[in-house]
Amino acid sequence: MKKLAALLACVLALSLGLTACGGSSASGSTTSAAATSGEKQLVVQLGPDPETLDPALNSAIDGANMILFAFDTLLGVDEDLNVVPALAESWEESEDGMTWTFHLREGLKWSDGSELNAEDFVYSWQRMADPETAAPYAETVLGMVKNFNEISTGEMEPSELGVSAPDANTFVVELGQPCTYFDKIASFVASSPVQQETVEANGDAWAVDPSTYVSSGAFMMTEWVPGSHITYTKNPNYWDADSIKLDSIKCLLIEDMNAALSAYETGEALMIKSVPTEEMASLEGRDDFHVDPLLGTYYISLNLQREPFNNRDVREALSLAIDRDYVANTIMQGTYSPAGNLIGPGITDADGSSFMENANGGEEYISTDPADFEANLEKAKQLMADAGYPNGEGFPVIEYLVNDQGYHKALAEYLQKAWGELGITMEVKTAEWQSVTATRRAGDFDTARNGWVFDYNDPSSMFDLFYTGNGNNDGKYSNAEYDAQMDISRTTTDVEERFAALHKAEDIIMADAGMIPVAFYNDYYLQSDKITGSWHSPYGYWYFQYADIAE
């Protein structure tokens, strides 16, 4: 389990914001065809039918966790959040920091038994860089790589990306700007290699059919029954197969939280992420109920390309009308913490101190003190009047997009009342999780539940989202001053200057109300002590690859 003092020192996604469950209560009773008598199968519930399990296209944390079972990256992350060898057994950075060389292990194979080599990384990273792929993480993962910017604008071809394979076991990355945390990028699941022949022969369908889901990790997908379960079976061609103790991992796709709890209580599942919120009080104090800190922020996206959300005063009014202490401690029953900043606790500054505590002169951007809420609300009403909507007059009916899961629906209902205090009529639009993520990314919404879990311990992991044109910039926030500070943070080699720019970036987006921070995440879940050898990271991943099941 995560220990705050030990694990909040470093990070890896999503989306997430960003988990919910999709499926049916019947999924809890389905038996995987991969599980036969005598096999050691771990049954867990992590999330819904994911929108995609293509490493380059996924942007949600539940999908990333499932990808993590099947794919290895160049480098990995251990239980203490140290970067460690994975597909690459060693690596080095040039003296000027502009070239990173990764040396792959000898004899690597794909799950189908064919050779995996450095050319596979060249193809995969060029594919992610290709604008036609529309990879949400492309800029985050590759933005510092030589020629990426020119490729993203169509001035260069993907083949001109600064990556090469001098030989089968050597992968070289040339940077266009220094990146001191590039080793963490190389350990992020979105950078996983994919098999060119399979992807090109099957198109997007390669990642939804177990027969074509060729992978590189400890397990390989052998079954996907939508709305029921996904089964991963031990990959005999994995480079570290001798260390894998489980025969298979079965991920239940249960949307109904009560059904998930039933699967756990009956012993069918040994771990569930979706715990019914109404059961929190009765679960508190149980050894198998865990509330772990998570490096991430629950926020609301506003569609800045639509009126009236393109008005800064309106955005700030919507933000100030939210009683964050009430949300975190009453609606969310203390499982989350109120957020008056975008960057929360656990993320470190230039000197290793708390980035959050150094932000805004040490004060919250938005006070979460209950004693200040009435003043915040009065200011919100005045801002609405300043924007031309006194008491909400003339303000259009708006929608809030959310998946009907856990606290999300309860928060939506609270927002109806909170924004109603401003004279605003808000309708709740519910959808399955995979539809929510796709709809947000397409910009087909007014306001929407959103959130992000850090991919590595650096403020840029959050700030990159709001850079103009970023694939995960759902609200389409764009501010030239913000982008300029992010550009400084990406190009300077001076650590103090870099973090000063990141602080200025937060100042700008918070002053702009470019999104609405609501709460800082925690993960709460049930996990049996029969599971041994696994860990849960503050990036929201359950590392079950090396797990075992006690008799």
Side-chain angles (χ1 to χ4, degrees), residues 217-277:
F219 292 85
M220 55 187 183
M221 186 197 299
T222 51
E223 189 177 31
W224 185 348
V225 181
S228 177
H229 63 275
I230 298 176
T231 301
Y232 296 90
T233 302
K234 180 178 177 178
N235 175 11
N237 293 305
Y238 182 51
W239 66 269
D240 197 22
D242 290 345
S243 299
I244 306 305
K245 303 173 183 66
L246 297 174
D247 294 301
S248 61
I249 300 174
K250 179 179 178 182
C251 297
L252 302 179
L253 306 172
I254 305 175
E255 183 169 10
D256 187 310
M257 286 186 164
N258 290 306
L261 180 60
S262 177
Y264 181 80
E265 298 288 25
T266 61
E268 180 180 2
L270 291 184
M271 175 270 168
I272 62 167
K273 181 174 182 178
S274 298
V275 179
T277 55

Side-chain angles (χ1 to χ4, degrees), residues 258-381:
N258 290 306
L261 180 60
S262 177
Y264 181 80
E265 298 288 25
T266 61
E268 180 180 2
L270 291 184
M271 175 270 168
I272 62 167
K273 181 174 182 178
S274 298
V275 179
T277 55
E278 64 272 16
E279 298 293 335
M280 290 297 182
S282 64
L283 294 172
E284 190 173 353
R286 281 178 45 165
D287 290 341
D288 59 347
F289 180 58
H290 305 267
V291 179
D292 290 347
L294 198 61
L295 300 182
T297 304
Y298 188 121
Y299 63 88
I300 296 170
S301 280
L302 308 172
N303 191 336
L304 275 64
Q305 294 185 326
R306 291 184 180 179
E307 293 184 355
F309 310 110
N310 56 357
N311 186 311
R312 195 212 69 85
D313 287 348
V314 167
R315 299 196 298 269
E316 185 179 4
L318 293 174
S319 179
L320 290 175
I322 299 172
D323 184 343
R324 289 162 171 80
D325 181 78
Y326 177 80
V327 169
N329 292 309
T330 301
I331 295 177
M332 297 175 170
Q333 302 181 64
T335 56
Y336 289 9
S337 305
N341 295 29
L342 176 55
I343 304 296
I347 300 301
T348 53
D349 213 325
D351 60 358
S353 62
S354 169
F355 187 91
M356 176 183 174
E357 292 179 5
N358 296 334
N360 197 37
E363 300 292 328
E364 292 180 305
Y365 290 96
I366 305 166
S367 175
T368 63
D369 188 332
D372 295 332
F373 176 64
E374 287 303 321
N376 284 349
L377 182 57
E378 287 307 308
K379 182 179 180 181
K381 292 178 179 178

